[in-house]
């Protein structure tokens, strides 16, 4: 007889996981059946676990995505089962931004090309978050004198997490 109880939990990096979870770089997985004396099994490929699967004994790390399915049995009889949660886990890679901060920017002068890259190779976008300036098509132009705060951003994709970097440009 299959049973589901609310106390059967999967935690990812210390947080209770829902049916989906997304983390960056790694996941520390903890499984709690909520019933003392029962043995817990899990799979990482979405297949149904049984007593021939991985036996959960201690928390473990994952560095790539997985579909974690869980089940618990009374030990040693295995005459009942407690079906646990399923978590579709996505592990994104972190990325870094490198930005060349423009210098010598003058109000009224031609726009300067913003130069930067993401370690993922994905495109970087820019925006002015404060001050007298604007970004158009990857070029920055001072619209007055002062300090301008810009944000470089790479929004990520299905493999990489988003990342952003703020920097200041002086417009004379």
């Amino acid at each position: 007889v299959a049973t589901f109880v609310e106390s059967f939990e999967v935690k990812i990096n210390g947080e209770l996981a829902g049916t989906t979870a997304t983390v960056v770089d790694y996941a520390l997985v903890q499984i709690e059946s909520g019933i003392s004396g029962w043995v817990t099994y899990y799979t990482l490929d979405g297949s149904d676990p049984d007593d021939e699967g991985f036996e959960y004994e201690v928390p473990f790390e994952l560095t790539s995505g997985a579909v974690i399915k869980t089940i618990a049995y009374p030990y040693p009889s295995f005459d009942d089962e407690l079906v646990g949660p399923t978590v579709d886990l996505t592990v994104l890679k972190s990325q870094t931004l490198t930005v060349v901060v423009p210098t010598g920017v003058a109000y009224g002068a031609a726009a300067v090309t913003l130069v930067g890259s993401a370690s993922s190779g994905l495109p970087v976008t820019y925006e002015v978050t404060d001050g007298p300036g604007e970004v158009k098509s990857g070029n920055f132009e001072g619209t007055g004198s002062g300090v301008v705060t810009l944000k470089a951003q790479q929004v990520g994709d299905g493999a990489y997490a988003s990342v952003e970097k703020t920097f200041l440009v002086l417009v004379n």
Side-chain angles (χ1 to χ4, degrees), residues 61-142:
E61 283 190 4
L62 293 175
T63 56
S64 61
V67 177
I68 304 165
K69 289 187 88 168
T70 58
I71 196 165
Y73 298 100
Y75 183 80
S77 68
F78 293 90
D79 61 356
D80 196 4
E81 65 182 23
L82 177 62
V83 176
T86 297
V87 178
D88 188 352
L89 174 67
T90 302
V91 180
L92 299 174
K93 298 173 192 164
S94 61
Q95 58 177 326
T96 57
L97 287 180
T98 302
V99 175
V100 178
V101 178
T103 58
V105 178
Y107 171 57
V112 295
T113 300
L114 294 169
V115 178
S117 62
S119 60
S120 64
L122 295 169
V124 177
T125 60
Y126 302 89
E127 69 178 278
V128 172
T129 59
D130 190 41
E134 63 184 13
V135 174
K136 289 183 183 174
S137 301
N139 295 309
F140 171 74
E141 183 176 356

Side-chain angles (χ1 to χ4, degrees), residues 20 22 29 31 35 48 59 111 122 129 133 146 150:
T20 63
T22 302
V29 179
I31 303 171
I35 300 178
D48 289 330
L122 295 169
T129 59
L150 287 104

